[in-house]
């Protein structure tokens, strides 16, 4: 397996706080890699660096063989990396379908081609709509394609945000705590969706996830972050047994339980 | 009859200004306070190029568009990336500078006296002369400008603009070059406002320094918000309603009244009340000024 | 010598700008409203002074107190009638800003309808000059200096030592709060608008007495104040004051080489240059514009 994403020694300070401190990990193609760690460990900040929203103070990020640290988010998307945010952040006043279609970059967006149209522009636009509909079907929202996104429940908005990130056919998607706030049935659907993305669609997923059951059952690889640093990485079984893991999760839970 | 012609022409010119302002404010969320300045830049470019440089009307009009777009890029490049309140303020300052330059650069603009004798458009040997001819010319230009904006609003461009308006970070995360798109849209807004300036110059055959300042900005904003964001129909309804208002006064016999200031008071009140009770305007879509 | 005289004049107008600018900044920092109607508050104070002096024939000190109170009340009124209903609807910042523009336009037009667009004078003739060496001062220079020397330290004490002052500062650090240090934010807003408008009242009392009152007199002053806030750095009150003095000096010193009609270009040229090269202002404070 080749590493499609190689994060090496990245650091980011906010004022006096080292949010990410010399963190390194790799993500292999066609796998699910989970980034875990306690609240404030720096997981989201690491995502922001990888996806171009923050420039790292130091370190490198290599995606598909190219250095991408410090490049603009829209460039990185075009290289084949999409992300979601911790909140769904769907476009509330657009329809569900339009929300997804925002993720497709096409010629017709340029003012000149918006005016002139032409067969190629129209064909691209039609293809975009079809792809958006297919993806909405995958996430179970096709029936609601014409509704305003604000009419969706929180869980449905979460699925919509994932569909939006997938419509551009990225090689890798970064999902920031996608299961938070989902009820039991939708939760199962999401886990199923992620598995299918990797096995059927041959995508790669980098996941931030707090639910250990999900992490341990679907991850090919787990990376543990604490206080900005990656302290352990390996198969779920390896990381589960790591002593930092006890400190990060079980330790706290034990303390909490005994109080 | 002549008066009705005048009214129709004015409504059309303002409708074109409103629809191009809507492209900036309604669709892209760029709160442009420079729109009246671009209108003035277009009018003066047309007047200077035809009267002083002797260019034909069509070339002058095209160059007016280019000038509006070019200056919009110039001012947009450093300010659009700052965003929010900084941008509003910078554009406010820009509009005051433009007014001041028009008055003070006498060698170019003839200062407070304005420039007279802008030629009427001509096609082949046909010279637009009569009021009807002018009405036709303005109507054709309006149809063209509305067609272009309809194309924008019914293409994938609209989704990208609305994404930027609603959440710039998400737009970026989906591969949209936010800064570049905003500059392009701002340039288009400036270009089309300048085109409206050219239309006005051809119609009045005369340009002068007043008419492109703060009062015009407020009028344009009021027209946009009365009609409503992201709506071609709204871009007509707003100007029509606000242009007919002074006529109403004439009709009910308010001759001795200070109509100018009553109008201004009304625009101010309208802006407040619209924001409170109907931010989408009379016929606008629900989109636009989100909570 | 001319340059020194222009420098002194610049300091005096800087002092007046500083009062409006700091008033604007207090409101902006606490509420994040780009309070364009500050210009209308300013003008309202001017007309209040005119009414008190010319129509009610009150003695000057009383008239000034009436003007100050009117400005403060007018500011609070705009908050109550325009901004509070919009906040209650959870309106966007853009909608609040448009409401503010609307309020400014409405007030200016109503002033013009009531008082006409003519300048109303509170006094006649030139002010007596006090010559000191080669420069000459008017009573206005002296009062402007005195107000700044008295008002700003009091404001500083208020903001740092009192419960409400500290609450205002806490709100400026985190405008999303709904209760600050046990004070309801809506109440705090009223106080913020009262103080910010009061400061404008000081400035307008001087200007109205010196130069008279016109419906649109508040606009340029409000606008220079806004620029001062940007130049001085958003979120930092001494910065706004420093920016105001800088602009006052710039405006007056530019008269040395340029005629007065270029003043707008000078002020806004300065703004554009700052936005271009140092958007965080003199002291490096800036609102974050990109949220991830
Ligand atoms: N823009 C910022 N400015 C200042 N501090 C920040 C910023 N973003 C994050 N931080 C801080 O950096 C640290 C890491 O935050 P981050 O959001 O990366 O953690 P996380 O691992 O995603 O936590 P969670 O599980 O709660 O989402 C936190 O202490 C946070 O407060
Ligand atoms: Mg996080």
């Amino acid at each position: 397996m080749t590493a499609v994403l190689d994060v090496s020694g990245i650091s980011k300070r906010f004022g006096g706080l080292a949010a990410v401190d010399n963190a390194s990990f790799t993500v292999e193609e066609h796998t699910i890699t989970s980034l875990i760690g306690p609240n404030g460990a720096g997981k989201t900040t690491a995502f922001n660096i990888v996806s171009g929203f923050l420039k790292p103070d130091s370190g490198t990020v290599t995606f598909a063989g190219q250095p991408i640290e410090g490049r603009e988010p829209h460039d990185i998307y075009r290289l084949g990396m999409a992300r979601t945010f911790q909140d769904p952040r769907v476009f509330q006043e657009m329809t569900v379908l339009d929300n997804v279609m925002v993720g497709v970059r096409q010629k017709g967006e340029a003012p000149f081609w918006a005016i002139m149209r032409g067969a190629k522009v129209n064909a691209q636009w039609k293809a975009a709509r079809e792809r958006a509909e297919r993806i909405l079907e995958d996430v179970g929202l096709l029936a609601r394609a014409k509704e305003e996104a604000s009419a969706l429940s929180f869980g449905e908005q979460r699925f919509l945000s994932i569909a939006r990130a997938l419509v551009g056919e990225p090689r890798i998607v970064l999902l920031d705590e996608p299961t938070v706030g989902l009820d039991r049935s939708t939760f199962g659907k999401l886990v199923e969706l992620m598995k299918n993305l990797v096995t059927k669609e041959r995508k790669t997923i980098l996941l931030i996830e707090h639910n250990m059951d999900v992490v341990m059952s679907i991850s090919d690889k787990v990376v543990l972050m604490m206080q900005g640093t990656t302290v352990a990485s390996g198969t779920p079984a390896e990381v589960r047994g790591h002593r930092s893991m006890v400190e990060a999760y079980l330790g706290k839970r034990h303390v909490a339980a005994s109080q | 009859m002549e008066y009705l012609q005048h009214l129709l022409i004015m409504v059309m010119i303002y409708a074109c200004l409103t629809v191009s302002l809507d492209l900036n404010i309604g669709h892209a969320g760029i709160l442009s306070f420079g729109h009246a300045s671009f209108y003035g830049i277009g009018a003066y470019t047309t007047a200077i190029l035809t009267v002083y440089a002797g260019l034909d009307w069509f070339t002058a009009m095209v160059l007016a568009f280019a000038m509006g777009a070019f200056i919009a890029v110039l001012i947009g490049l450093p300010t659009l990336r700052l965003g929010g309140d900084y941008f509003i303020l910078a554009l406010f300052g820009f509009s005051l500078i433009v007014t001041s330059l028009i008055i003070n650069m006498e060698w170019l603009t003839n200062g407070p006296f304005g420039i007279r004798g802008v030629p009427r458009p001509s096609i082949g040997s046909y010279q637009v002369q009569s009021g009807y001819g002018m009405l036709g010319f303005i109507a054709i230009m309006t149809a063209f400008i509305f067609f272009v904006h309809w194309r924008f609003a019914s293409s994938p461009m609209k989704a990208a603009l609305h994404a930027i308006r609603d959440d710039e970070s998400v737009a970026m995360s989906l591969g949209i070059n936010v800064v570049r798109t905003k500059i392009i849209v701002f340039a288009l807004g400036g270009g089309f406002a300048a085109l409206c300036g050219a239309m006005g110059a051809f119609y009045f055959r005369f340009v002068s320094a007043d008419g492109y300042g703060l009062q015009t900005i407020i009028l344009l904003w009021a027209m946009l918000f009365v009609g409503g964001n992201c709506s071609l129909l709204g871009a007509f309804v707003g100007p029509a309603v606000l242009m007919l208002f002074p006529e109403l006064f004439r009709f009910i016999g308010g001759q001795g009244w200070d109509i100018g200031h009553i109008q201004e008071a009304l625009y101010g009140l309208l802006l407040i009340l619209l924001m409170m009770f109907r931010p989408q305007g009379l016929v606008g879509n629900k989109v636009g000024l989100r909570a | 010598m001319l340059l020194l005289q222009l420098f002194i004049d610049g300091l005096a107008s800087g002092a007046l700008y500083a009062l409006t600018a700091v008033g604007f900044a207090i409101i902006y920092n606490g509420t994040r409203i780009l309070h364009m109607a500050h210009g209308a508050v300013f003008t309202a104070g001017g007309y209040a002074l005119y009414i008190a002096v010319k129509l009610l024939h009150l003695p000057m000190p009383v008239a000034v107190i009436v003007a100050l109170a009117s400005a403060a009340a007018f500011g609070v009124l705009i908050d109550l009638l325009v901004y509070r209903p919009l906040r209650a609807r959870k309106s966007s910042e853009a909608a609040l800003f448009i409401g503010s523009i609307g309020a400014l336009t409405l007030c200016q037009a109503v002033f013009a309808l009531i008082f006409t667009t003519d300048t109303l004078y509170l006094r006649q003739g030139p002010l007596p000059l006090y010559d000191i060496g080669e420069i000459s001062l008017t009573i206005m220079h002296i009062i402007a200096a005195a107000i700044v020397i008295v008002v700003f330290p009091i404001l500083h004490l208020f903001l740092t030592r009192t419960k409400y002052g500290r609450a205002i500062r806490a709100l400026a650090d985190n405008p999303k709060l709904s209760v600050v240090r046990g004070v309801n934010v809506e109440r705090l807003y009223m106080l913020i608008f009262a103080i910010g408008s009061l400061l404008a009242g000081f400035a307008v009392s001087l200007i109205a007495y010196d130069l008279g009152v016109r419906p649109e007199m508040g606009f340029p002053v409000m606008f220079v104040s806004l620029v001062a806030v940007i130049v001085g750095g958003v979120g930092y009150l001494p910065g706004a004051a420093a920016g105001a003095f800088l602009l006052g000096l710039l405006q007056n010193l530019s008269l040395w080489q340029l005629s007065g009609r270029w003043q707008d270009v000078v002020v806004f040229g300065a703004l554009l240059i700052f936005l271009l090269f140092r958007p965080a202002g003199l002291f490096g404070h800036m609102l974050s514009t990109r949220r991830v």
Side-chain angles (χ1 to χ4, degrees):
Chain A
M1 277 194 289
T2 50
V4 62
L5 179 67
D6 186 341
V7 176
S8 171
I10 55 168
S11 300
K12 180 77 193 174
R13 302 186 73 86
F14 294 116
L17 174 84
V20 173
D21 188 5
N22 195 19
S24 303
F25 58 90
T26 59
V27 176
E28 277 71 34
E29 186 124 48
H30 315 311
T31 65
I32 298 182
T33 301
S34 292
L35 196 56
I36 64 169
N39 290 115
K43 305 180 295 293
T44 298
T45 306
F47 258 38
N48 287 339
I49 292 171
V50 172
S51 57
F53 279 84
L54 291 172
K55 306 210 182 319
D57 299 334
S58 58
T60 59
V61 181
T62 311
F63 174 56
Q66 292 190 56
I68 58 165
E69 72 275 357
R71 291 183 69 167
E72 289 291 321
H74 60 85
D75 280 339
I76 293 176
Y77 180 85
R78 285 168 203 235
L79 291 175
M81 179 191 296
R83 66 165 292 177
T84 63
F85 294 84
Q86 217 160 319
D87 296 319
R89 288 169 77 163
V90 299
F91 302 115
Q92 298 284 340
E93 288 170 352
M94 289 189 205
T95 65
V96 169
L97 183 65
D98 284 346
N99 257 278
V100 180
M101 285 180 59
V102 171
V104 186
R105 302 279 59 83
Q106 50 186 315
K107 216 174 168 183
E109 271 162 32
F112 179 76
W113 291 111
I115 299 170
M116 301 312 286
R117 307 284 163 94
K120 198 169 159 206
V121 174
N122 287 333
Q124 246 189 2
W125 197 11
K126 188 156 165 259
R129 172 170 294 122
E130 282 162 4
R131 199 153 75 226
E133 282 169 350
R134 205 167 58 240
I135 286 179
L136 279 175
E137 186 162 27
D138 289 347
V139 301
L141 287 173
L142 187 57
R144 314 194 58 179
K146 295 269 179 305
E147 283 179 54
E148 222 174 62
S150 57
L152 300 186
S153 70
F154 181 83
E156 288 164 337
Q157 294 194 7
R158 177 50 67 44
F159 276 96
L160 178 54
S161 73
I162 294 171
R164 193 172 61 181
L166 290 173
V167 74
E169 305 279 354
R171 262 176 96 170
I172 182 169
V173 300
L174 280 54
L175 303 174
D176 196 345
E177 303 193 20
T179 62
V180 167
L182 297 189
D183 61 36
R184 199 177 296 268
S185 69
T186 45
F187 189 97
K189 257 168 52 188
L190 180 59
V191 170
E192 210 47 44
L193 176 70
M194 288 194 283
K195 281 186 187 156
N196 279 338
L197 280 174
V198 173
T199 53
K200 296 219 183 83
E201 316 262 336
R202 308 298 287 155
K203 303 265 181 239
T204 306
I205 295 179
L206 175 60
L207 178 71
I208 295 179
E209 183 53 63
H210 277 298
N211 185 311
M212 280 308 131
D213 296 336
V214 175
V215 170
M216 294 305 163
S217 68
I218 70 169
S219 310
D220 297 289
K221 177 174 171 183
V222 176
V223 178
L224 173 61
M225 256 185 113
M226 284 177 71
Q227 290 167 4
T229 311
T230 42
V231 291
S233 96
T235 62
E238 284 165 5
V239 172
R240 197 197 327 245
H242 198 279
R243 62 189 159 71
S244 297
M245 193 63 189
V246 181
E247 201 184 307
Y249 287 92
L250 305 174
K252 255 207 237 153
R253 226 173 265 169
H254 279 305
V255 175
S258 62
Q259 269 171 353
Chain B
M1 232 30 233
E2 224 164 78
Y3 191 69
L4 195 65
Q5 269 173 13
H6 169 72
L7 218 55
L8 267 172
I9 286 176
M10 289 315 289
V11 167
M12 284 194 280
I13 291 178
Y14 277 114
C16 291
L17 277 167
T18 306
V19 81
S20 56
L21 183 63
D22 189 31
L23 180 66
N24 281 180
I25 294 184
H27 287 288
I30 301 170
L31 294 177
S32 169
F33 252 97
H35 218 65
S37 305
F38 294 120
Y39 178 43
I41 287 168
Y44 267 90
T45 305
T46 308
I48 290 167
L49 290 181
T50 51
V51 177
Y52 292 166
L55 290 186
D56 69 281
W57 69 276
F58 189 79
T59 314
M61 193 170 76
V62 171
L63 288 177
F65 180 94
M67 189 62 140
F70 173 71
I71 292 183
V73 171
L74 224 55
I75 192 81
L77 270 176
T79 56
L80 272 171
R81 64 182 68 227
L82 292 172
D85 295 346
Y86 290 98
F87 178 75
I88 290 175
L89 205 55
L91 264 284
F92 231 139
F94 165 74
S95 72
L96 293 182
I97 289 186
V98 169
T99 308
S100 178
L101 287 181
I102 288 178
I103 293 175
N104 289 320
M105 295 205 308
E106 278 147 4
W107 54 273
L108 185 65
T109 63
N110 202 23
F113 305 107
I115 301 173
R116 292 185 180 279
V118 179
R120 287 264 156 100
S122 56
I123 297 152
S125 61
Y126 173 70
Q127 169 91 33
V128 176
Q129 285 291 5
S130 65
Y132 279 116
M134 214 48 217
L135 190 66
F137 171 74
I138 299 287
I140 290 167
M141 291 299 297
T142 305
F144 167 73
I145 289 174
F146 270 70
F147 171 75
V148 167
H149 283 81
W150 169 72
R151 285 293 233 192
F152 288 157
S154 62
S155 72
M157 186 176 152
K158 175 176 144 182
L161 293 184
H162 287 200
I164 291 173
R165 181 194 69 195
D166 291 350
D167 194 329
E168 286 195 6
S169 295
V170 172
M172 273 179 221
S173 83
L174 296 171
I176 297 170
N177 187 336
V178 169
V179 173
R180 200 185 65 185
T181 308
K182 277 166 77 170
I183 288 174
I184 290 174
V185 170
F186 189 55
L188 286 170
F192 279 107
L195 200 55
C196 296
M199 287 156 64
F202 291 138
Y203 174 54
F204 290 113
R205 313 200 55 185
F206 157 67
V207 296
S208 81
D210 40 56
Y212 310 117
L214 190 67
Q215 283 172 356
T216 309
I217 298 170
I218 302 286
L219 175 65
L220 292 180
W221 278 48
M223 285 176 171
L224 174 62
F225 290 116
V226 166
N229 284 295
C230 301
S231 158
L232 293 176
L233 179 61
F236 250 111
V237 169
V241 169
L242 290 194
M243 295 298 293
L244 288 180
F245 176 76
E247 306 314 312
L248 197 70
F249 264 87
R250 220 179 297 273
F251 186 69
I252 61 173
Q255 252 80 20
W257 300 2
D258 182 356
I259 289 188
H261 284 112
I262 292 176
Q263 251 174 292
E264 259 180 63
L266 179 92
Y267 299 155
L269 191 64
L270 266 178
L271 284 179
I272 299 173
L273 294 179
L274 283 167
M275 290 306 111
M276 279 180 199
F277 301 111
R278 210 175 159 81
Q280 75 273 32
L282 293 181
V283 296
N285 301 328
K286 229 182 97 197
V287 291
L289 289 169
R290 294 158 317 113
Chain C
M1 128 194 191
L2 178 62
L3 203 53
L4 189 61
Q5 180 68 46
L6 290 173
F7 186 78
I8 299 289
D9 291 346
L11 283 182
S13 38
L16 297 177
Y17 287 142
L19 289 164
T20 24
V22 171
F24 183 88
I26 286 180
I27 293 171
Y28 185 71
N29 295 345
T31 66
R32 290 291 186 273
I33 298 169
L34 206 52
H35 178 44
M36 309 299 276
H38 200 49
V41 171
F42 185 90
T43 312
Y47 280 113
L49 188 71
Y50 177 82
I51 291 171
V53 171
K54 286 290 183 182
L55 304 182
L56 305 178
H57 304 291
L58 298 175
M60 203 57 193
V62 183
V64 169
I65 290 173
V66 168
L68 293 178
S70 305
F74 203 78
V76 173
L77 208 64
I78 287 181
D79 182 49
L80 289 182
L81 293 181
V82 181
Y83 302 140
R84 184 177 281 194
L86 288 174
R87 279 197 299 272
R89 298 187 79 249
K90 305 224 179 310
S91 299
S92 62
E93 282 177 14
L96 278 160
F97 169 70
I98 294 161
S100 185
I101 287 283
L104 175 70
T105 311
L106 174 63
C107 294
Q108 281 190 358
V110 169
F111 292 146
L113 287 171
I114 299 175
F115 299 101
T116 76
T117 48
D118 299 336
T119 305
L120 304 178
Y121 291 98
L122 281 102
R123 56 171 195 85
Q124 248 78 53
L127 287 168
L129 293 178
Y130 306 95
D131 289 326
I132 302 172
E134 292 180 51
I135 56 166
S136 34
L137 299 179
T138 68
I139 187 80
M140 291 302 143
H141 289 98
I142 297 163
I143 299 179
I147 292 179
V148 164
I149 290 169
V150 174
V151 168
F152 281 151
I154 293 177
L155 181 68
H156 180 75
L157 286 178
F158 171 77
L159 288 175
T160 51
R161 298 290 163 81
T162 66
K163 174 183 168 192
Y164 283 95
R166 287 189 186 146
I168 288 176
R169 293 201 313 159
L171 187 66
D173 289 338
N174 190 353
K176 294 254 153 62
L177 298 175
S178 60
V179 176
V180 194
R181 294 164 186 253
V183 187
N184 178 299
V185 161
E186 288 297 330
R187 296 264 301 280
L188 208 50
Y189 276 2
M190 288 171 64
L191 184 64
I192 288 173
F193 274 94
I195 295 173
S197 308
L198 184 70
L199 290 173
F202 280 110
V204 76
S205 297
L206 267 180
I207 292 176
Y209 180 75
D210 190 11
L211 302 171
V213 194
R214 284 176 302 119
E216 73 283 17
M217 72 186 292
F219 184 77
V221 180
M222 179 275 304
F223 209 73
V224 173
S225 312
L226 250 160
V227 176
V229 173
I230 295 293
V231 169
V234 170
Y236 181 59
L237 295 183
F245 276 104
L246 192 73
L247 287 173
L249 285 172
L250 194 66
Q251 260 189 352
N252 282 276
L253 290 178
S254 69
L255 291 176
W256 191 41
Q257 292 293 339
L258 295 168
S259 92
R261 56 190 198 160
W262 291 100
Q263 281 200 350
D264 274 352
V265 178
V266 169
V267 171
F268 303 111
L271 169 72
L272 291 183
I273 288 168
F274 255 92
L275 288 177
L276 212 52
F277 297 107
R278 201 167 162 75
L282 290 172
F283 302 99
H285 293 254
M286 187 173 180
L287 299 177
S288 75
T289 46
R290 189 200 263 193
R291 74 205 153 94
V292 179

